[in-house]
């Protein structure tokens, strides 16, 4: 899950206003679309989309009617739009094992709970200030990690080869409401940290919810798979005109975006078929009474007191 911006002039295009665009890296006059991408080892493609409507639009119904926004369409945060798309994806024929997203979605407690209630595994980025069991901030949890807890692992191949970082992973105490079936545990919670090898002060953090048998390497692989949607955005914009439109009405945006997504999915499938036939690919430390302890080949956070 992720969102991308579409830079626009004027004030009449559905959902447009001055807002932060990760695409531009600054506040711009733009529309924001929230997207879902489906990624496998065979390829990836965008599979769902929603136009984000700020309150400046949903609180002005006459403006909405001029842009042909349906009367029933009210305000929804980007997280709410993402939750709707997750439910649609889980109800579809697509086999789905994991959900991953950046910290804008990972820090949303309701988004994580939806996935837990649906039985889907996740590896979600979170900000360093995220609360974690045993510490008030997740960065404090990993500040306590011993040197030997950090392991050099690749989270997938990038344009310049394997993306290798130092990773630390710790198992968190279970939550009875979501992690047990009766008295038997069936899911496990993790916290992960990804540290740059050349710039060790650059650390990203994740929360994960996974089957009992999952390995740290698998969690790292899923975390790295998040970049698939960035690749989808780039390809769909460069090759399929995802951002090259002049429509202003709500319905027109959905029609253009859906057609561009279909073209991108067609290209992804065609590229896979070509590969199958052998053709060339298309081109700060906090105090805590909790402790890190090694259990077999992984680390676990031990917190005094009863199970939460």
């Amino acid at each position: 899950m992720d969102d991308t911006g579409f830079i626009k002039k004027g004030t009449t295009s559905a959902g447009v206003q001055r807002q932060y665009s990760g695409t531009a890296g600054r506040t711009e006059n733009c529309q924001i679309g929230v997207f879902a991408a489906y990624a496998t080892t065979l390829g990836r493609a965008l599979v769902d989309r929603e136009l984000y409507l700020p309150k400046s639009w949903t609180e002005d119904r006459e403006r909405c009617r001029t842009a042909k926004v349906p009367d029933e369409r009210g305000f929804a945060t980007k997280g709410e739009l993402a939750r709707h798309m997750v439910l649609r994806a889980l109800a579809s024929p697509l086999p789905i094992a994991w959900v991953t997203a950046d910290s804008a979605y990972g820090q949303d407690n309701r988004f994580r709970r939806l996935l837990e209630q649906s039985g889907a595994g996740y590896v979600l980025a979170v900000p360093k200030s995220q609360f974690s069991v045993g510490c008030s901030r997740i960065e404090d949890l990993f500040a306590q990690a011993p040197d030997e807890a950090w392991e050099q692992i690749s989270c997938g191949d990038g344009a310049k080869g394997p993306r290798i970082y130092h990773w630390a992973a710790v198992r968190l105490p279970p939550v009875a409401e979501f992690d047990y079936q009766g008295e038997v545990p069936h899911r496990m919670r993790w916290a992960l940290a990804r540290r740059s090898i050349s710039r060790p002060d650059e650390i990203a953090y994740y929360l994960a919810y996974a089957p009992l048998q999952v390995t740290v390497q698998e969690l790292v692989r899923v975390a790295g798979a998040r970049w698939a949607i960035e690749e989808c955005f780039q390809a769909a914009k460069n090759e399929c005109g995802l951002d090259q439109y002049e429509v202003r009405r709500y319905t027109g945006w959905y029609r253009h975006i859906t057609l561009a997504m279909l073209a991108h999915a067609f290209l992804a499938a065609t590229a896979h078929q070509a590969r199958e036939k052998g053709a060339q690919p298309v081109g700060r430390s906090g105090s805590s009474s909790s402790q890190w302890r090694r259990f077999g080949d992984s680390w676990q956070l031990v917190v005094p007191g009863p199970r939460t």
Side-chain angles (χ1 to χ4, degrees), residues 80-116:
E80 288 174 316
L81 297 176
R83 294 201 296 274
H84 291 319
M85 284 190 281
V86 164
L87 290 174
R88 288 201 292 260
L90 293 173
S92 77
L94 288 173
I96 296 173
W98 298 95
V99 175
T100 184
D102 67 15
S103 59
Y105 301 91
Q107 67 182 337
D108 185 342
N109 181 65
R110 290 168 297 179
F111 186 64
R112 299 198 308 273
R113 289 292 176 263
L114 171 68
L115 296 175
E116 292 165 11

Side-chain angles (χ1 to χ4, degrees), residues 47-189:
V47 293
D48 205 350
R49 72 286 175 261
E50 289 286 359
L51 177 63
Y52 171 68
L53 295 179
K55 288 184 177 179
S56 62
W57 274 82
T58 58
E59 294 178 354
D60 187 341
R61 299 318 302 183
E62 186 57 38
R63 188 185 189 190
C64 285
R65 292 187 186 99
T66 301
K68 302 302 180 182
V69 177
D71 288 341
E72 63 271 17
R73 176 68 193 270
F75 175 73
T77 65
K78 298 181 185 75
E80 288 174 316
L81 297 176
R83 294 201 296 274
H84 291 319
M85 284 190 281
V86 164
L87 290 174
R88 288 201 292 260
L90 293 173
S92 77
L94 288 173
I96 296 173
W98 298 95
V99 175
T100 184
D102 67 15
S103 59
Y105 301 91
Q107 67 182 337
D108 185 342
N109 181 65
R110 290 168 297 179
F111 186 64
R112 299 198 308 273
R113 289 292 176 263
L114 171 68
L115 296 175
E116 292 165 11
Q117 291 168 349
S118 302
Y122 64 70
V123 181
L124 301 170
V126 293
K128 63 183 181 181
S129 58
Q130 178 73 36
F131 169 78
S132 179
V133 177
C135 286
S136 59
R137 296 165 64 95
I138 196 170
E139 67 170 348
D140 294 339
L141 172 63
F142 284 95
Q144 303 173 39
D147 292 341
E148 59 268 27
W150 295 90
E151 183 179 0
Q152 190 167 296
I153 308 175
S154 170
C155 57
D157 291 336
K160 299 180 180 180
R163 297 191 298 263
I164 299 175
Y165 296 88
H166 282 143
W167 290 83
V170 56
R171 290 186 288 175
L172 300 176
V175 176
E177 181 181 358
F178 299 104
D179 305 345
Y180 281 76
Q181 290 181 342
E183 294 296 319
V184 180
H186 74 111
R187 291 279 177 170
M188 185 180 297
R189 294 174 184 273

Side-chain angles (χ1 to χ4, degrees), residues 31 41 100 121 175 199 210 224 232 236 262 269 271 291:
Q31 296 167 297
T41 56
T100 184
V175 176
R199 299 181 179 87
C232 286
L262 177 61
Q291 295 181 337

Side-chain angles (χ1 to χ4, degrees), residues 223-263:
R226 196 203 70 80
W227 281 299
I229 195 168
E230 301 290 354
E231 295 169 358
C232 286
F233 287 151
Q234 183 178 7
K237 289 180 179 182
N238 293 343
E239 301 169 14
C240 306
L242 184 73
D243 59 344
Q244 297 173 22
Y245 59 86
E246 298 180 3
V247 298
R248 295 185 177 182
R249 293 180 174 181
Y250 180 88
T251 303
W253 185 88
Y254 275 90
R255 288 173 176 171
H256 174 87
I257 295 297
T258 304
L259 181 59
M261 288 169 54
L262 177 61

